[in-house]
Amino acid sequence: EAQVTQNPRYLITVTGKKLTVTCSQNMNHEYMSWYRQDPGLGLRQIYYSMNVEVTDKGDVPEGYKVSRKEKRNFPLILESPSPNQTSLYFCASSAGWSRANYGYTFGSGTRLTVV
Amino acid sequence: SQQGEEDPQALSIQEGENATMNCSYKTSINNLQWYRQNSGRGLVHLILIRSNEREKHSGRLRVTLDTSKKSSSLLITASRAADTASYFCATDLDRGSTLGRLYFGRGTQLTVWP
């Protein structure tokens, strides 16, 4: 089944403890992206990647890192999480050829709480 | 950042009625997409309409696009309780520097009562 898989689904952590949220897609998509969703603010893009080793900042990149060493994986790294990073995070992917026709495929989300 | 803005923020209707949601955006687009999100779950792509299209249908969904007014509407006909969800419009901007980026609005919360 074509899908975007995020792990973990839920995570509670303490301030300052480094964490990684994984994202993997099995559709050979070039584009991958991370969003955070907060009440009243909608979805805001954190980072995106147009292909392996090509990443760029979205609208709210502060406090996050990403890497794209393989086409299928796009992990989101929080080096020193803070409470304002408590949010619902989504990974999404799309192929260049299908992006203009079929939109993006989203993962199920990771609910992160930083205490 | 460039965003679509949905209107209304919340919509409450009875089963069988039609639901109409609107989206306005600020700059020229490559395409506009509508997504659905059940509470706390991932977004599901519903329909995409290109900038050179004016109307598109998919099952009970009808999307219109007016590029002169920079607006789009999503119509769900004969709504069902299972249509209860948040609906988001997202714009794919018509600029090379934004390739790969998708800008979302804040969504419309639709509640369909049995």
Side-chain angles (χ1 to χ4, degrees):
Chain A
E1 180 189 352
Q3 60 186 358
V4 175
T5 303
Q6 292 179 232
N7 279 297
R9 285 277 284 131
Y10 301 93
L11 178 60
I12 301 174
T13 190
V14 296
T15 299
K17 185 177 181 182
K18 180 179 178 179
L19 67 92
T20 299
V21 183
T22 63
C23 175
S24 180
Q25 49 92 5
N26 61 0
M27 297 165 282
N28 202 36
H29 284 172
E30 294 91 357
Y31 299 108
M32 297 187 75
S33 184
W34 277 102
Y35 290 86
R36 62 177 287 174
Q37 185 177 28
D38 302 289
L41 297 177
L43 282 93
R44 295 178 293 168
Q45 193 173 42
I46 303 170
Y47 269 95
Y48 65 101
S49 170
M50 291 192 286
N51 216 323
V52 175
E53 301 292 2
V54 181
T55 63
D56 208 346
K57 296 176 181 178
D59 296 315
V60 287
E62 294 78 19
Y64 304 95
K65 283 176 57 178
V66 293
S67 68
R68 189 90 182 273
K69 292 183 169 50
E70 308 165 279
K71 201 171 189 180
R72 64 182 291 125
N73 295 322
F74 191 44
L76 179 69
I77 303 157
L78 286 72
E79 294 271 2
S80 182
S82 62
N84 64 12
Q85 293 179 297
T86 292
S87 187
L88 180 57
Y89 291 86
F90 290 102
C91 181
S93 75
S94 177
W97 63 269
S98 71
R99 178 171 144 262
N101 295 287
Y102 303 116
Y104 284 71
T105 302
F106 277 78
S108 298
T110 295
R111 188 169 291 281
L112 172 65
T113 302
V114 183
V115 298
Chain B
S1 64
Q2 304 296 331
Q3 272 188 332
E5 290 292 339
E6 293 91 345
D7 174 64
Q9 287 189 328
L11 181 60
S12 187
I13 59 175
Q14 295 289 131
E15 265 193 329
E17 294 181 340
N18 295 341
T20 299
M21 289 159 267
N22 303 297
C23 172
S24 60
Y25 58 91
K26 297 176 184 176
T27 64
S28 61
I29 59 172
N30 183 38
N31 64 66
L32 185 144
Q33 305 171 26
W34 286 90
Y35 289 81
R36 166 195 168 122
Q37 182 183 35
N38 288 82
S39 181
R41 307 297 295 263
L43 282 79
V44 175
H45 182 259
L46 294 177
I47 196 165
L48 181 153
I49 186 165
R50 297 190 193 87
S51 59
N52 62 352
E53 297 176 315
R54 292 297 166 257
E55 189 170 311
K56 205 161 182 180
H57 297 256
S58 176
R60 293 185 296 113
L61 305 180
R62 172 176 167 254
V63 169
T64 61
L65 179 65
D66 187 334
T67 53
S68 67
K69 295 181 179 178
K70 293 186 172 58
S71 67
S72 173
S73 67
L74 171 67
L75 169 68
I76 304 174
T77 60
S79 61
R80 306 165 181 166
D83 293 329
T84 294
S86 292
Y87 292 82
F88 294 87
C89 70
T91 50
D92 189 342
L93 301 188
D94 188 20
R95 295 191 202 127
S97 63
T98 65
L99 193 66
R101 303 193 64 178
L102 200 61
Y103 296 89
F104 285 84
R106 293 180 173 83
T108 292
Q109 173 60 50
L110 172 66
T111 303
V112 182
W113 298 101

